[in-house]
């Protein structure tokens, strides 16, 4: 088979890595890809949001299966466009992508189908939103409706900060049209867990759970990022809780997919906040997570291409997913300054000296004259499996000492569980 993976991050490198292990696969293309994907696939210089260009390429190359990494092409309707032309593609259509692309849409679905989430109100008018602030206890959360490159969520400790956020989004339009609507919601406390699920029509089959580290600084301080560390499984998702989620929340989501005609063949990535017995949903994403995918695919023993094909032809069963009992830990190295301003283009050293048990996925790298250089805020996902989280964690941090590039920064407390 000829497979096209769309995107350029650590998630896409992990997808290429796992897909390349399938006997069914003859050739992999990655658009646009990165230094890591170029070692497994042919990088194609087409941007992930260039739907016309990708469609033309897939038709010309007679691609047998396309796997979409990031949310943007999904929201632009790439799946609908490929299907119209008879091309096989893994991901939700434009309508179902609203579950991620519109906070208001996803909250309405959650409320309608009894899916537990923080109480919320949505607004387009600054004055009305401002007046409603006092209905929410502090801290409160304000979210711009659209994708906003993942930067549209604000946790406000004071009403005056909340008012400023509302003004920035609704009046000064700091996110443009993506901030035309906002929601205000109650703050949820607890521990976050990521649960990625295969969605095949209205059937939802969860993978192993993961714990993402979103903040840039140790101790969960500093700015929000795309995710700078992860481990799997997440200990808060116990077997009992997983069963409870399957029998309750997932059944309700499945009904929503059916009744709202949102059925698709792809991923539903559920962000949970778990506080003792209280399990709420923070958000839906309709794609693989980054870096969650790296930690989960490391633990998947089954052939991923078989799973993707079965998801598409609706024959996927829970038994098709066979998991490695070992735990995985992944630390994302970044360029100092990320998620704000940072420099790139620095040579990366030490990867050849790593123990062979370490798997390195590339987030933002590029080969320039055969030398690997940094090319993004997130640079490498350095990963290992171990008999438990601590063993995997020690292995990763020990080996990480060998990796160097100018301005390297990473958290030292990923997977440090007390
Ligand atoms: P979201 O894009 O909605 O997942 O928000 C990004 C991050 O903001 C989440 O991963 C949480 O850490 C935090 N967050 C979002 N909504 C809430 C909430 N209602 N209560 C507490 N934290 C939240
Ligand atoms: N790591 C969170 C995300 O991919 O959205």
């Amino acid at each position: 088979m000829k497979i096209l993976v769309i995107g350029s991050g650590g998630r896409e490198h992990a997808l290429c890595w796992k897909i390349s292990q399938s006997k069914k696969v003859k050739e992999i293309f990655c658009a646009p890809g990165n230094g890591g994907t170029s070692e497994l696939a042919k990088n194609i210089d087409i941007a992930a949001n260039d739907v016309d260009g990708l469609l033309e390429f897939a038709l010309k190359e007679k691609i047998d299966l396309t796997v979409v990494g990031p949310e943007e092409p999904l929201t632009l309707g790439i799946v609908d466009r490929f299907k119209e032309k008879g091309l096989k593609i893994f991901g939700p259509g434009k309508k179902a992508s609203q579950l991620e692309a519109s906070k208001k849409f996803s909250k309405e679905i959650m409320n309608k189908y009894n899916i537990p989430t923080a109480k919320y109100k949505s607004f387009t008018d600054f004055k009305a939103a401002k007046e409603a602030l006092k209905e929410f206890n502090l801290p409160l959360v304000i979210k711009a409706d659209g994708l906003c490159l993942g930067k549209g969520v604000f946790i406000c400790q004071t009403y005056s900060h909340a008012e400023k956020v509302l003004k920035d989004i609704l009046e000064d339009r700091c996110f443009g049209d993506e901030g035309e609507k906002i929601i205000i919601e109650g703050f949820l406390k607890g521990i976050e867990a990521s649960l990625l699920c295969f969605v095949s029509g209205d059937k939802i089959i969860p993978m192993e759970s993961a714990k993402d580290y979103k903040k840039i600084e140790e101790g969960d301080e500093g700015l929000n990022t795309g995710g700078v560390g992860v481990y799997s499984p997440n200990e808060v998702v116990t077997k009992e809780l997983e069963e409870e989620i399957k029998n309750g929340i997932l059944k309700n989501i499945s009904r929503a997919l059916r009744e709202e005609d949102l059925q698709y063949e792809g991923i539903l990535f559920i962000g949970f906040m778990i506080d003792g017995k209280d399990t709420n949903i923070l958000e839906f994403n309709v794609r693989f997570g980054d870096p969650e995918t790296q930690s989960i695919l490391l633990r998947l023993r089954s052939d991923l291409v078989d799973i993707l094909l079965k998801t598409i032809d609706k024959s996927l069963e829970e038994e098709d997913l066979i998991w490695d009992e070992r735990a995985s830990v992944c630390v994302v190295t970044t360029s100092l300054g990320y998620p704000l301003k940072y420099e790139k283009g620095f040579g990366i050293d030490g990867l050849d000296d790593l123990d062979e048990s370490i798997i390195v996925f590339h987030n933002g790298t590029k080969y320039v004259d055969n030398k690997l250089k940094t090319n993004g805020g997130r640079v490498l996902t350095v990963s290992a499996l171990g008999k438990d989280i601590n063993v995997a964690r020690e292995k990763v941090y020990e080996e990480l000492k060998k990796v160097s590039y100018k301005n390297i920064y990473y958290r030292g407390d990923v997977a440090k569980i007390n």
Side-chain angles (χ1 to χ4, degrees), residues 151-406:
K151 296 188 166 65
V153 175
F154 300 84
I155 294 169
C156 306
Q157 304 290 344
T158 62
Y159 290 113
S160 62
H161 179 218
E163 215 173 294
K164 174 159 184 338
V165 170
L166 290 177
K167 184 170 178 302
D168 288 346
I169 305 176
L170 289 172
E171 288 223 311
D172 301 342
R173 288 303 179 96
C174 64
F175 296 118
D177 287 349
E178 293 196 345
E180 198 181 336
K181 288 180 248 174
I182 57 106
I183 64 169
I184 307 175
E185 72 174 30
F187 180 83
L188 296 168
K189 60 181 176 54
I191 297 173
E192 286 184 53
S194 305
L195 192 68
L196 276 67
C197 309
F198 287 101
V199 174
S200 182
D202 64 355
K203 191 169 180 179
I204 306 176
I205 302 183
M207 298 180 224
E208 290 281 289
S209 60
K211 160 84 183 162
D212 183 20
Y213 286 74
K214 291 203 162 71
K215 298 280 200 240
I216 190 69
E217 286 168 29
E218 289 174 21
D220 287 330
E221 300 283 341
L223 295 171
N224 248 331
T225 70
V228 289
V230 64
Y231 65 84
S232 172
N234 185 330
E235 72 287 356
V236 295
V237 185
T238 57
K239 285 283 159 240
E240 293 80 3
L241 181 60
E242 197 186 321
E243 278 312 303
E244 215 178 287
I245 290 171
K246 277 189 202 160
N247 294 326
I249 293 177
L250 294 192
K251 283 206 168 126
N252 290 354
I253 298 176
S254 169
R255 190 160 71 84
L257 296 180
R258 210 164 44 241
E259 292 182 16
E260 300 292 324
D261 196 20
L262 297 171
Q263 301 178 66
Y264 63 90
E265 294 84 43
I267 298 294
L268 181 69
F269 158 0
I270 309 173
F272 282 104
M273 185 68 94
I274 297 165
D275 186 23
K277 287 252 161 263
D278 205 14
T279 303
N280 279 286
I281 292 186
L282 283 174
E283 62 163 351
F284 288 133
N285 295 308
V286 292
R287 51 168 176 84
F288 284 103
D290 189 344
E292 283 89 340
T293 304
Q294 291 89 306
S295 70
I296 291 168
L297 291 186
L298 270 175
R299 299 187 56 221
L300 179 65
R301 291 177 60 183
S302 339
D303 182 321
L304 179 62
V305 176
D306 275 341
I307 293 173
L308 301 176
L309 293 172
K310 284 184 176 189
T311 304
I312 291 174
D313 74 20
K314 310 260 192 337
S315 62
L316 187 71
E317 300 291 340
E318 205 172 322
E319 298 71 57
D320 292 317
L321 307 183
I322 300 166
W323 298 103
D324 196 319
E325 285 301 315
R326 288 175 297 172
S328 58
V329 171
C330 312
V331 176
V332 178
T333 71
T334 63
S335 303
L336 191 69
Y338 170 79
L340 300 174
K341 251 179 87 151
Y342 56 85
E343 289 178 77
K344 54 190 187 180
F346 302 120
I348 301 172
D349 292 306
L351 297 188
D352 292 338
D353 306 327
L354 295 176
D355 187 85
E356 59 184 22
S357 62
I358 299 287
I359 310 274
V360 179
F361 298 110
H362 297 207
N363 289 74
T365 69
K366 179 168 148 181
Y367 279 101
V368 181
D369 300 330
N370 283 326
K371 172 74 190 157
L372 190 67
K373 301 269 173 94
T374 64
N375 192 39
R378 293 192 289 182
V379 179
L380 303 167
T381 307
V382 179
S383 319
L385 288 164
K387 80 172 172 35
D388 58 33
I389 299 274
N390 279 330
V391 171
R393 165 175 205 278
E394 273 166 29
K395 219 190 279 184
V396 170
Y397 276 111
E398 191 52 38
E399 291 293 312
L400 247 174
K401 292 179 192 156
K402 299 177 184 166
V403 179
S404 65
Y405 54 81
K406 192 174 170 214

Side-chain angles (χ1 to χ4, degrees), residues 135-149:
E135 294 170 34
F136 292 82
N137 292 329
L138 291 171
L140 58 80
V141 186
I142 297 176
K143 297 182 177 182
D145 187 60
L147 293 173
C148 306
L149 299 169

